[in-house]
Every structure is written in structure tokens, then in C-alpha cells.
Amino acid sequence: MNPKIREWIQYYGKISRRSLKSVFYYLHHRLIRWILNKYKSFKGSKVKAVKWLRQVTVSYPNLFYHWELGYKLV
């Protein structure tokens, strides 16, 4: 997924860094939906899934390229 994220940053970043926020907002929400479907302990609790994803961003800040650049989960 990181190569695709790098491409998005190269393409959309030339226009405006601000335009990337909406792209990563969508990506984070897709990750949350994936977590809700993948792990049974998070079923029905979007709040727990968001908290868990925030912990992952702190524990593994280099997991995704956009997290390295500071586009964290809001």
C-alpha cells in the first residue's frame, strides 16, 4: 500500500498538500471499516476501532508512508 500512497503524495502534493487531507481521511475511514470487519472484538464499536488505530499510529509511526509525513488519524 505504501507505493500507492507515495504516488498519491507525488501527484496530489504538486497541486496542494491540503488536497491530500481528504484522500487520507478517506483512507483512514477505510482502514477503520477493515478493522471492524477483520476483528470480531471491534464489531459494532467504531470508537474502539478508532482508539486501536490511534495506538497503532503511535506504536508504529513508520507503518504507512503518510504517517511518517504527519498525516495521522484525526
Side-chain angles (χ1 to χ4, degrees), residues 1-69:
M1 199 155 151
N2 276 335
K4 189 61 104 174
I5 293 171
R6 287 179 194 267
E7 290 176 18
W8 291 340
I9 291 172
Q10 288 175 356
Y11 182 77
Y12 292 110
K14 289 180 182 178
I15 299 167
S16 168
R17 288 279 185 185
R18 185 175 289 167
S19 64
L20 289 170
K21 285 188 178 186
S22 62
V23 173
F24 295 133
Y25 178 82
Y26 177 75
L27 177 63
H28 289 147
H29 283 280
R30 290 296 298 176
L31 283 171
I32 291 167
R33 284 177 53 190
W34 177 80
I35 291 168
L36 289 171
N37 289 326
K38 175 76 175 171
Y39 300 105
K40 291 182 181 179
S41 61
F42 296 118
K43 286 259 187 216
S45 180
K46 195 172 182 180
V47 173
K48 281 184 184 179
V50 169
K51 285 182 182 180
W52 185 76
L53 188 58
R54 283 189 180 138
Q55 287 178 339
V56 170
T57 60
V58 171
S59 300
Y60 303 100
N62 298 328
L63 186 62
F64 292 112
Y65 182 67
H66 66 289
W67 290 354
E68 293 176 22
L69 298 177

